[in-house]
Each structure stands twice: as structure tokens, then as C-alpha cells.
Coordinates of all heavy atoms in Angstrom, one line a residue:
R14 N 0.8 -1.3 0.0 CA 0.0 0.0 -0.1 C 0.9 1.2 0.0 O 0.5 2.2 -0.7 CB -0.9 0.0 1.2 CG -1.9 1.2 1.2 CD -2.8 1.0 2.4 NE -3.8 2.1 2.2 CZ -4.9 2.1 2.7 NH1 -5.4 1.1 3.4 NH2 -5.8 3.2 2.6
K15 N 2.0 1.2 0.7 CA 2.9 2.4 0.8 C 3.5 2.7 -0.5 O 3.5 3.9 -0.9 CB 3.9 2.1 1.8 CG 4.8 3.3 2.0 CD 5.8 3.1 3.1 CE 6.8 4.2 3.3 NZ 6.4 5.5 3.5
L16 N 3.8 1.7 -1.3 CA 4.3 1.8 -2.7 C 3.3 2.5 -3.6 O 3.6 3.6 -4.2 CB 4.8 0.5 -3.3 CG 5.2 0.6 -4.8 CD1 6.4 1.5 -5.1 CD2 5.4 -0.8 -5.4
W17 N 2.1 2.1 -3.4 CA 0.9 2.6 -4.3 C 0.8 4.1 -3.9 O 0.6 5.0 -4.8 CB -0.3 1.9 -4.2 CG -1.4 2.4 -5.0 CD1 -2.5 3.0 -4.5 CD2 -1.5 2.5 -6.3 NE1 -3.4 3.4 -5.5 CE2 -2.7 3.1 -6.6 CE3 -0.6 2.1 -7.4 CZ2 -3.1 3.3 -8.0 CZ3 -1.0 2.4 -8.7 CH2 -2.2 2.9 -9.0
Q18 N 0.8 4.4 -2.6 CA 0.6 5.8 -2.3 C 1.8 6.7 -2.8 O 1.6 7.9 -3.2 CB 0.5 5.8 -0.7 CG -0.8 5.4 -0.1 CD -0.7 5.2 1.3 OE1 0.3 5.3 1.9 NE2 -1.9 5.2 1.9
E19 N 3.0 6.1 -2.9 CA 4.2 6.9 -3.3 C 4.0 7.1 -4.8 O 4.4 8.1 -5.3 CB 5.4 6.2 -2.9 CG 5.6 6.3 -1.4 CD 7.0 5.6 -1.0 OE1 7.8 5.3 -1.9 OE2 7.1 5.5 0.3
L20 N 3.6 6.1 -5.4 CA 3.3 6.3 -7.0 C 2.4 7.2 -7.4 O 2.3 7.8 -8.4 CB 3.0 4.8 -7.6 CG 4.1 3.8 -7.7 CD1 3.5 2.5 -8.2 CD2 5.2 4.3 -8.7
L21 N 1.4 7.5 -6.5 CA 0.4 8.5 -6.8 C 0.6 9.9 -6.5 O -0.1 10.8 -6.8 CB -0.9 8.1 -6.0 CG -1.6 6.8 -6.3 CD1 -2.8 6.6 -5.5 CD2 -2.0 6.8 -7.9
V22 N 1.9 10.1 -5.9 CA 2.2 11.5 -5.6 C 2.2 12.3 -7.0 O 3.0 12.0 -7.9 CB 3.6 11.7 -5.0 CG1 4.0 13.1 -4.9 CG2 3.6 11.0 -3.6
A23 N 1.4 13.4 -7.1 CA 1.2 14.2 -8.3 C 2.5 14.8 -8.7 O 2.8 15.1 -9.9 CB 0.1 15.2 -8.1
S24 N 3.5 15.1 -7.9 CA 4.7 15.9 -8.2 C 5.8 15.0 -8.8 O 6.9 15.5 -9.1 CB 5.2 16.7 -6.9 OG 5.5 15.8 -6.0
L25 N 5.6 13.7 -8.9 CA 6.5 12.9 -9.4 C 6.8 13.1 -10.9 O 5.9 13.5 -11.5 CB 6.1 11.3 -9.4 CG 6.1 10.7 -8.0 CD1 5.5 9.3 -8.0 CD2 7.4 10.7 -7.3
P26 N 8.1 13.2 -11.3 CA 8.3 13.5 -12.7 C 7.8 12.5 -13.7 O 7.9 11.3 -13.4 CB 9.9 13.7 -12.7 CG 10.4 13.0 -11.5 CD 9.3 12.9 -10.5
K27 N 7.4 12.9 -14.8 CA 6.8 12.0 -15.8 C 7.8 11.1 -16.5 O 7.5 10.2 -17.2 CB 6.0 12.9 -16.8 CG 4.8 13.5 -16.3 CD 4.0 14.1 -17.4 CE 2.8 14.9 -16.9 NZ 2.1 14.3 -15.7
T28 N 9.2 11.4 -16.1 CA 10.2 10.5 -16.6 C 10.8 9.6 -15.5 O 11.9 9.0 -15.8 CB 11.3 11.5 -17.2 OG1 11.8 12.3 -16.2 CG2 10.8 12.2 -18.4
L29 N 10.2 9.5 -14.4 CA 10.8 8.8 -13.2 C 11.1 7.4 -13.6 O 12.1 6.9 -13.1 CB 9.8 8.9 -12.1 CG 10.2 8.2 -10.8 CD1 11.4 8.9 -10.2 CD2 9.1 8.0 -9.8
L30 N 10.3 6.8 -14.3 CA 10.4 5.2 -14.6 C 10.8 5.0 -16.0 O 10.5 3.9 -16.5 CB 9.1 4.5 -14.2 CG 8.8 4.7 -12.7 CD1 7.4 4.1 -12.4 CD2 9.8 4.2 -11.8
T31 N 11.5 5.9 -16.8 CA 11.8 5.6 -18.1 C 12.6 4.3 -18.4 O 12.7 3.8 -19.4 CB 12.5 6.8 -18.8 OG1 13.7 7.1 -17.9 CG2 11.5 8.0 -18.9
D32 N 13.4 4.0 -17.4 CA 14.2 2.8 -17.5 C 13.5 1.4 -17.1 O 14.1 0.3 -17.2 CB 15.5 2.8 -16.7 CG 16.4 3.9 -17.2 OD1 16.3 4.2 -18.5 OD2 17.1 4.6 -16.4
L33 N 12.2 1.5 -16.7 CA 11.5 0.3 -16.4 C 10.7 -0.2 -17.5 O 10.0 0.4 -18.1 CB 10.5 0.7 -15.2 CG 9.6 -0.3 -14.6 CD1 10.5 -1.4 -14.0 CD2 8.5 0.2 -13.7
R34 N 10.8 -1.4 -17.6 CA 9.9 -2.3 -18.6 C 9.1 -3.2 -17.7 O 9.6 -3.9 -16.9 CB 10.7 -3.0 -19.6 CG 11.5 -2.1 -20.5 CD 12.3 -2.7 -21.7 NE 11.3 -3.2 -22.6 CZ 11.3 -4.4 -23.1 NH1 12.3 -5.3 -22.9 NH2 10.5 -4.8 -24.0
F35 N 7.8 -3.3 -18.0 CA 7.0 -4.0 -17.1 C 5.8 -4.7 -17.8 O 5.5 -4.5 -19.0 CB 6.3 -3.1 -16.0 CG 5.2 -2.2 -16.6 CD1 4.0 -2.5 -16.6 CD2 5.6 -1.0 -17.2 CE1 2.9 -1.7 -17.1 CE2 4.7 -0.2 -17.9 CZ 3.3 -0.6 -17.7
A36 N 5.1 -5.6 -17.2 CA 4.0 -6.3 -17.5 C 3.1 -6.5 -16.4 O 3.5 -6.7 -15.2 CB 4.2 -7.7 -18.2
V37 N 1.8 -6.3 -16.5 CA 0.8 -6.4 -15.5 C -0.4 -7.4 -15.8 O -0.9 -7.3 -17.0 CB 0.1 -5.1 -15.1 CG1 -1.0 -5.1 -14.2 CG2 1.1 -4.1 -14.7
F38 N -0.7 -8.3 -14.9 CA -1.8 -9.2 -15.1 C -2.7 -9.0 -13.9 O -2.2 -9.2 -12.8 CB -1.4 -10.7 -15.3 CG -2.5 -11.5 -15.5 CD1 -2.9 -11.8 -16.9 CD2 -3.3 -12.1 -14.6 CE1 -3.9 -12.6 -17.2 CE2 -4.4 -13.0 -14.9 CZ -4.7 -13.1 -16.2
G39 N -4.0 -8.7 -14.1 CA -4.9 -8.5 -13.0 C -5.8 -9.7 -12.8 O -6.1 -10.3 -13.7
L40 N -6.1 -9.9 -11.6 CA -7.1 -11.1 -11.2 C -8.3 -10.3 -10.7 O -8.4 -9.6 -9.8 CB -6.4 -11.8 -10.0 CG -5.0 -12.5 -10.2 CD1 -4.5 -13.1 -9.0 CD2 -5.0 -13.3 -11.5
G41 N -9.5 -10.6 -11.5 CA -10.6 -9.9 -11.1 C -11.9 -10.8 -11.4 O -11.8 -12.0 -11.7
D42 N -13.0 -10.2 -11.2 CA -14.3 -10.8 -11.3 C -15.2 -9.9 -12.0 O -15.5 -8.8 -11.5 CB -14.7 -11.2 -9.9 CG -16.2 -11.9 -9.8 OD1 -17.0 -11.6 -10.8 OD2 -16.4 -12.8 -9.0
S43 N -15.7 -10.2 -13.2 CA -16.4 -9.3 -14.1 C -17.8 -8.9 -13.5 O -18.5 -8.0 -14.1 CB -16.6 -9.7 -15.4 OG -17.2 -11.1 -15.5
H44 N -18.2 -9.6 -12.4 CA -19.5 -9.3 -11.8 C -19.4 -7.9 -11.0 O -20.4 -7.3 -10.7 CB -19.9 -10.4 -10.8 CG -20.6 -11.5 -11.5 ND1 -20.6 -12.7 -11.1 CD2 -21.3 -11.5 -12.7 CE1 -21.3 -13.5 -11.9 NE2 -21.7 -12.8 -13.0
Y45 N -18.1 -7.6 -10.8 CA -17.9 -6.3 -10.1 C -17.9 -5.0 -11.0 O -17.2 -5.2 -12.1 CB -16.6 -6.3 -9.2 CG -16.8 -7.3 -8.0 CD1 -16.4 -8.7 -8.1 CD2 -17.1 -6.7 -6.8 CE1 -16.5 -9.4 -7.0 CE2 -17.4 -7.6 -5.7 CZ -17.0 -8.9 -5.9 OH -17.0 -9.8 -4.8
R46 N -18.4 -3.9 -10.5 CA -18.4 -2.8 -11.5 C -17.1 -2.4 -11.8 O -16.8 -2.0 -13.1 CB -19.2 -1.7 -10.8 CG -19.4 -0.4 -11.6 CD -20.3 0.5 -10.9 NE -20.0 0.7 -9.4 CZ -19.4 1.8 -9.0 NH1 -19.1 2.7 -9.8 NH2 -19.1 1.9 -7.7
E47 N -16.1 -2.4 -11.0 CA -14.7 -1.9 -11.3 C -13.8 -3.1 -11.5 O -12.8 -3.3 -10.9 CB -14.2 -1.1 -10.1 CG -15.0 0.2 -9.9 CD -14.5 1.1 -9.0 OE1 -13.7 0.7 -8.1 OE2 -14.9 2.4 -8.9
F48 N -14.3 -3.8 -12.5 CA -13.5 -5.1 -13.0 C -12.0 -4.8 -13.1 O -11.7 -4.0 -13.9 CB -14.2 -5.7 -14.1 CG -13.4 -6.9 -14.8 CD1 -13.2 -8.1 -14.1 CD2 -12.9 -6.7 -16.1 CE1 -12.5 -9.1 -14.6 CE2 -12.3 -7.7 -16.7 CZ -12.1 -8.9 -16.0
N49 N -11.2 -5.5 -12.4 CA -9.6 -5.3 -12.6 C -9.3 -3.9 -12.5 O -8.3 -3.5 -13.2 CB -9.3 -6.0 -13.9 CG -8.9 -7.3 -13.8 OD1 -8.0 -7.7 -12.9 ND2 -9.5 -8.2 -14.6
Y50 N -9.9 -3.1 -11.6 CA -9.5 -1.7 -11.5 C -8.1 -1.4 -11.1 O -7.4 -0.6 -11.6 CB -10.5 -1.1 -10.5 CG -10.1 0.4 -10.1 CD1 -10.6 1.4 -10.9 CD2 -9.4 0.7 -9.0 CE1 -10.3 2.7 -10.7 CE2 -9.1 2.1 -8.8 CZ -9.6 3.0 -9.6 OH -9.3 4.3 -9.3
A51 N -7.6 -2.2 -10.1 CA -6.3 -2.1 -9.7 C -5.2 -2.4 -10.7 O -4.3 -1.6 -10.9 CB -6.0 -3.0 -8.4
A52 N -5.4 -3.4 -11.5 CA -4.4 -3.6 -12.6 C -4.5 -2.6 -13.7 O -3.5 -2.1 -14.2 CB -4.8 -5.1 -13.3
R53 N -5.6 -2.1 -14.0 CA -5.7 -1.0 -15.0 C -5.1 0.2 -14.5 O -4.4 1.0 -15.3 CB -7.2 -0.8 -15.3 CG -7.9 -1.9 -16.1 CD -9.5 -1.5 -16.2 NE -10.3 -2.7 -16.5 CZ -10.5 -3.0 -17.9 NH1 -10.1 -2.2 -18.8 NH2 -11.2 -4.0 -18.0
K54 N -5.4 0.6 -13.3 CA -4.8 1.8 -12.6 C -3.3 1.7 -12.5 O -2.7 2.8 -12.9 CB -5.5 2.0 -11.3 CG -5.1 3.3 -10.6 CD -6.1 4.3 -11.0 CE -5.8 5.6 -10.1 NZ -6.5 6.7 -10.6
L55 N -2.9 0.6 -12.1 CA -1.3 0.4 -12.0 C -0.7 0.5 -13.3 O 0.3 1.2 -13.5 CB -1.0 -0.9 -11.3 CG 0.5 -1.2 -11.3 CD1 1.2 -0.2 -10.4 CD2 0.7 -2.6 -10.7
H56 N -1.2 -0.1 -14.4 CA -0.7 -0.1 -15.8 C -0.6 1.3 -16.2 O 0.3 1.8 -16.8 CB -1.5 -1.0 -16.6 CG -1.0 -1.2 -18.0 ND1 -1.3 -0.4 -19.0 CD2 -0.1 -2.1 -18.4 CE1 -0.6 -0.8 -20.1 NE2 0.0 -1.9 -19.8
A57 N -1.7 2.0 -16.1 CA -1.8 3.5 -16.5 C -0.8 4.3 -15.7 O -0.2 5.2 -16.4 CB -3.2 4.0 -16.4
R58 N -0.7 4.2 -14.4 CA 0.2 5.0 -13.6 C 1.6 4.7 -14.0 O 2.4 5.7 -14.2 CB 0.0 4.8 -12.2 CG 0.8 5.7 -11.3 CD 0.5 7.2 -11.7 NE 1.2 8.1 -10.8 CZ 1.6 9.2 -11.1 NH1 1.2 9.8 -12.3 NH2 2.3 10.0 -10.2
L59 N 2.0 3.5 -14.1 CA 3.4 3.2 -14.5 C 3.7 3.8 -15.9 O 4.9 4.4 -16.1 CB 3.7 1.7 -14.7 CG 3.6 0.9 -13.3 CD1 3.7 -0.6 -13.5 CD2 4.7 1.5 -12.3
R60 N 2.8 3.7 -16.9 CA 3.0 4.4 -18.2 C 3.1 5.8 -18.0 O 3.8 6.5 -18.7 CB 2.0 4.0 -19.2 CG 2.0 2.5 -19.5 CD 1.1 2.1 -20.6 NE 1.5 2.7 -21.8 CZ 0.7 3.1 -22.8 NH1 -0.6 2.7 -22.7 NH2 1.1 3.6 -23.9
G61 N 2.3 6.5 -17.1 CA 2.3 7.9 -16.9 C 3.6 8.4 -16.4 O 3.9 9.5 -16.5
L62 N 4.4 7.5 -15.7 CA 5.6 8.0 -15.2 C 6.7 7.5 -16.1 O 7.9 7.5 -15.6 CB 5.8 7.2 -13.7 CG 4.9 7.8 -12.6 CD1 5.0 7.0 -11.4 CD2 5.1 9.2 -12.4
G63 N 6.5 7.1 -17.3 CA 7.5 7.0 -18.3 C 7.9 5.4 -18.5 O 8.7 5.2 -19.3
A64 N 7.3 4.6 -17.8 CA 7.7 3.1 -17.9 C 7.1 2.6 -19.3 O 6.2 3.1 -19.8 CB 7.1 2.2 -16.7
Q65 N 7.8 1.5 -19.7 CA 7.4 1.0 -21.0 C 6.8 -0.4 -20.8 O 7.5 -1.2 -20.2 CB 8.6 0.9 -22.0 CG 9.2 2.2 -22.4 CD 8.3 2.9 -23.3 OE1 7.7 2.3 -24.3 NE2 8.2 4.2 -23.3
A66 N 5.5 -0.7 -21.2 CA 5.0 -2.0 -21.1 C 5.6 -2.9 -22.2 O 5.5 -2.5 -23.3 CB 3.4 -2.0 -21.2
F67 N 6.2 -3.9 -21.7 CA 6.8 -4.8 -22.8 C 5.8 -5.9 -23.3 O 6.0 -6.7 -24.3 CB 8.1 -5.5 -22.4 CG 7.9 -6.6 -21.4 CD1 7.8 -7.9 -21.8 CD2 8.0 -6.3 -20.0 CE1 7.7 -8.9 -20.9 CE2 7.9 -7.3 -19.1 CZ 7.7 -8.6 -19.5
F68 N 4.7 -6.0 -22.7 CA 3.6 -6.9 -23.0 C 2.3 -6.3 -22.6 O 2.1 -5.5 -21.6 CB 3.8 -8.2 -22.2 CG 3.1 -9.4 -22.9 CD1 3.4 -9.8 -24.2 CD2 2.0 -10.0 -22.3 CE1 2.8 -10.9 -24.8 CE2 1.4 -11.1 -22.8 CZ 1.7 -11.5 -24.0
R69 N 1.2 -6.8 -23.3 CA -0.2 -6.3 -23.2 C -0.7 -6.5 -21.7 O -0.2 -7.4 -21.0 CB -1.0 -6.8 -24.1 CG -1.3 -8.3 -23.8 CD -2.4 -8.9 -24.8 NE -2.6 -10.2 -24.6 CZ -3.3 -10.8 -23.7 NH1 -4.0 -10.1 -22.8 NH2 -3.4 -12.2 -23.7
L70 N -1.5 -5.6 -21.3 CA -2.2 -5.8 -20.0 C -3.1 -7.0 -20.0 O -3.9 -7.1 -20.9 CB -3.1 -4.5 -19.7 CG -4.0 -4.5 -18.6 CD1 -3.3 -4.6 -17.3 CD2 -4.8 -3.3 -18.6
G71 N -3.0 -7.9 -19.0 CA -3.8 -9.1 -19.0 C -4.9 -8.9 -17.8 O -4.5 -8.3 -16.8
L72 N -6.1 -9.3 -18.2 CA -7.1 -9.2 -17.3 C -7.8 -10.5 -17.1 O -8.7 -10.8 -17.9 CB -8.1 -8.1 -17.8 CG -7.6 -6.6 -18.0 CD1 -8.6 -5.7 -18.7 CD2 -7.1 -6.1 -16.7
G73 N -7.5 -11.2 -15.9 CA -8.2 -12.4 -15.7 C -9.6 -12.2 -15.1 O -9.9 -11.2 -14.3
D74 N -10.5 -13.1 -15.4 CA -11.9 -13.0 -15.0 C -12.3 -14.4 -14.3 O -12.4 -15.4 -15.0 CB -12.8 -12.7 -16.1 CG -14.2 -12.5 -15.8 OD1 -14.5 -12.6 -14.6 OD2 -15.1 -12.3 -16.6
D75 N -12.5 -14.2 -13.1 CA -12.9 -15.4 -12.3 C -14.4 -16.0 -12.8 O -14.6 -17.1 -12.5 CB -12.9 -15.2 -10.8 CG -12.9 -16.4 -10.0 OD1 -12.1 -17.4 -10.3 OD2 -13.6 -16.4 -9.0
Q76 N -15.1 -15.2 -13.4 CA -16.4 -15.6 -13.9 C -16.4 -16.3 -15.3 O -17.4 -16.9 -15.6 CB -17.4 -14.4 -14.0 CG -17.7 -13.8 -12.7 CD -18.3 -14.8 -11.8 OE1 -19.2 -15.4 -12.1 NE2 -17.9 -14.8 -10.5
H77 N -15.2 -16.4 -15.9 CA -15.2 -17.1 -17.1 C -15.4 -18.6 -16.9 O -15.1 -19.1 -15.8 CB -13.8 -17.0 -17.8 CG -13.7 -17.4 -19.1 ND1 -13.6 -18.7 -19.5 CD2 -13.8 -16.8 -20.3 CE1 -13.6 -18.8 -20.8 NE2 -13.7 -17.7 -21.4
D78 N -16.0 -19.3 -17.8 CA -16.3 -20.7 -17.6 C -15.0 -21.5 -17.2 O -15.1 -22.5 -16.4 CB -16.7 -21.3 -18.9 CG -18.1 -20.9 -19.3 OD1 -18.8 -20.4 -18.4 OD2 -18.5 -21.0 -20.5
F79 N -13.8 -21.1 -17.6 CA -12.6 -21.8 -17.3 C -11.8 -21.1 -16.2 O -10.6 -21.4 -16.0 CB -11.7 -22.1 -18.5 CG -12.3 -23.0 -19.5 CD1 -12.9 -22.5 -20.7 CD2 -12.6 -24.3 -19.3 CE1 -13.5 -23.2 -21.6 CE2 -13.3 -25.1 -20.1 CZ -13.7 -24.5 -21.4
G80 N -12.3 -20.1 -15.6 CA -11.8 -19.3 -14.6 C -10.7 -18.4 -15.0 O -10.5 -18.1 -16.2
L81 N -9.8 -18.0 -14.1 CA -8.7 -17.0 -14.4 C -7.8 -17.7 -15.5 O -7.2 -16.9 -16.3 CB -8.0 -16.7 -13.2 CG -8.8 -15.9 -12.1 CD1 -8.0 -15.9 -10.8 CD2 -9.2 -14.5 -12.6
E82 N -7.6 -18.9 -15.4 CA -6.6 -19.6 -16.3 C -7.0 -19.4 -17.8 O -6.0 -19.4 -18.6 CB -6.6 -21.1 -16.0 CG -5.9 -21.4 -14.6 CD -6.9 -21.2 -13.5 OE1 -8.1 -21.0 -13.7 OE2 -6.4 -21.2 -12.3
Q83 N -8.2 -19.1 -18.1 CA -8.6 -18.9 -19.6 C -7.8 -17.8 -20.1 O -7.4 -17.8 -21.2 CB -10.0 -18.5 -19.6 CG -10.5 -18.3 -21.0 CD -10.3 -19.4 -22.0 OE1 -10.4 -20.5 -21.7 NE2 -10.2 -19.1 -23.3
E84 N -7.5 -16.8 -19.3 CA -6.7 -15.6 -19.8 C -5.3 -15.7 -19.4 O -4.3 -15.4 -20.1 CB -7.4 -14.3 -19.3 CG -6.6 -13.1 -19.7 CD -6.4 -12.8 -21.2 OE1 -7.2 -13.3 -21.9 OE2 -5.6 -12.0 -21.6
L85 N -5.0 -16.2 -18.1 CA -3.7 -16.3 -17.5 C -2.8 -17.1 -18.3 O -1.6 -16.8 -18.6 CB -3.8 -16.7 -16.1 CG -2.4 -16.8 -15.5 CD1 -1.7 -15.4 -15.5 CD2 -2.5 -17.2 -14.0
D86 N -3.1 -18.4 -18.6 CA -2.2 -19.4 -19.2 C -1.7 -18.8 -20.5 O -0.6 -18.8 -20.8 CB -3.0 -20.7 -19.3 CG -3.2 -21.4 -18.1 OD1 -2.6 -20.9 -17.0 OD2 -3.9 -22.4 -17.9
P87 N -2.6 -18.5 -21.6 CA -2.0 -17.9 -22.8 C -1.2 -16.7 -22.7 O -0.3 -16.4 -23.3 CB -3.2 -17.8 -23.7 CG -4.4 -17.9 -22.9 CD -4.1 -18.5 -21.5
W88 N -1.7 -15.8 -21.7 CA -1.0 -14.5 -21.4 C 0.4 -14.9 -21.0 O 1.4 -14.2 -21.5 CB -1.7 -13.7 -20.5 CG -1.1 -12.3 -20.1 CD1 -1.4 -11.1 -20.8 CD2 -0.2 -11.9 -19.1 NE1 -0.7 -10.1 -20.2 CE2 0.1 -10.7 -19.2 CE3 0.4 -12.8 -18.2 CZ2 1.0 -10.0 -18.4 CZ3 1.4 -12.2 -17.3 CH2 1.7 -10.8 -17.5
A89 N 0.5 -15.7 -19.9 CA 1.8 -16.0 -19.4 C 2.8 -16.7 -20.4 O 3.9 -16.3 -20.5 CB 1.7 -16.9 -18.2
E90 N 2.2 -17.6 -21.2 CA 3.1 -18.2 -22.1 C 3.7 -17.3 -23.2 O 4.9 -17.3 -23.5 CB 2.2 -19.3 -22.9 CG 2.1 -20.6 -22.2 CD 1.3 -21.6 -23.0 OE1 1.6 -21.7 -24.2 OE2 0.5 -22.3 -22.4
S91 N 2.8 -16.3 -23.6 CA 3.3 -15.3 -24.6 C 4.1 -14.3 -24.0 O 5.1 -13.8 -24.5 CB 2.1 -14.7 -25.3 OG 1.3 -15.6 -26.0
M92 N 3.9 -14.0 -22.7 CA 4.7 -13.0 -22.0 C 6.1 -13.5 -21.9 O 7.1 -12.7 -22.1 CB 4.0 -12.7 -20.6 CG 4.7 -11.5 -19.9 SD 6.0 -11.8 -18.8 CE 5.4 -13.1 -17.7
W93 N 6.3 -14.8 -21.5 CA 7.6 -15.3 -21.3 C 8.5 -15.2 -22.6 O 9.7 -15.2 -22.6 CB 7.6 -16.5 -20.7 CG 7.2 -16.6 -19.2 CD1 6.1 -17.1 -18.7 CD2 7.8 -15.9 -18.1 NE1 6.1 -16.9 -17.3 CE2 7.1 -16.1 -17.0 CE3 9.0 -15.0 -18.0 CZ2 7.4 -15.6 -15.8 CZ3 9.3 -14.6 -16.8 CH2 8.5 -14.8 -15.7
E94 N 7.8 -15.3 -23.8 CA 8.4 -15.3 -25.0 C 8.8 -13.9 -25.4 O 9.5 -13.7 -26.5 CB 7.5 -16.0 -26.1 CG 7.3 -17.4 -25.9 CD 6.2 -18.0 -26.8 OE1 5.6 -17.2 -27.6 OE2 5.9 -19.2 -26.6
A95 N 8.1 -12.9 -24.9 CA 8.3 -11.6 -25.3 C 9.7 -11.0 -25.0 O 10.4 -11.5 -24.1 CB 7.2 -10.6 -24.8

């Protein structure tokens, strides 16, 4: 939580994380109005601070017939190849 609070400081320079490459996979449930909110917000904030996503944002949905693995398994396999 402390890290998140520090990342939200408005005065941080937009180039703070220019040397960071990252990937985010969120675990969520599409029955909730703010489905995968934390993953979306983290992805956007990291990019806003200059970090580069080296792989697409993954959004797992526990409500899918095959659960989170429906998205996680192919996402992880492809991410490791990236």
C-alpha cells in the first residue's frame, strides 16, 4: 500500500520510470463494477511515469467458464516469449 501511495504523488516527474519495462496481469471478477480496477490503474500510472509495457495488460476473470486460467495461461506463455 505504501508503494501505491508513493506512486500516486502528483509531483513525481513524468520521466521517473523511463528505464522500467513491465507487464501487469490483473485477477478480477467481471461481476464487479470496477472489474480489474487495480491492474488497469497500475498499468496506466506506470506508463504515466515513463515506464514501457513490454507486454499487453492481462485481465483475468474469475467468472469465465474456465476461470482465471482462460486468460492467464495464454498470457503467461506469450509474455515469457516476449
Side-chain angles (χ1 to χ4, degrees):
R14 183 174 185 160
K15 184 170 173 57
L16 173 63
W17 181 244
Q18 290 172 339
E19 290 178 13
L20 284 174
L21 291 179
V22 172
S24 62
L25 291 174
K27 296 194 183 315
T28 58
L29 179 69
L30 301 176
T31 54
D32 293 329
L33 178 68
R34 296 185 70 224
F35 72 95
V37 173
F38 187 90
L40 304 175
D42 183 323
S43 59
H44 281 153
Y45 289 91
R46 184 172 47 103
E47 295 183 345
F48 171 64
N49 268 309
Y50 177 79
R53 293 173 194 268
K54 185 86 170 171
L55 176 61
H56 190 268
R58 185 58 179 153
L59 292 175
R60 291 188 67 208
L62 293 173
Q65 298 283 324
F67 73 88
F68 198 66
R69 68 176 175 82
L70 172 62
L72 301 174
D74 184 2
D75 198 40
Q76 291 303 314
H77 191 282
D78 290 342
F79 298 108
L81 297 168
E82 291 80 9
Q83 175 66 26
E84 176 66 15
L85 177 60
D86 290 346
W88 182 91
E90 283 183 33
S91 297
M92 189 267 309
W93 289 118
E94 294 171 1

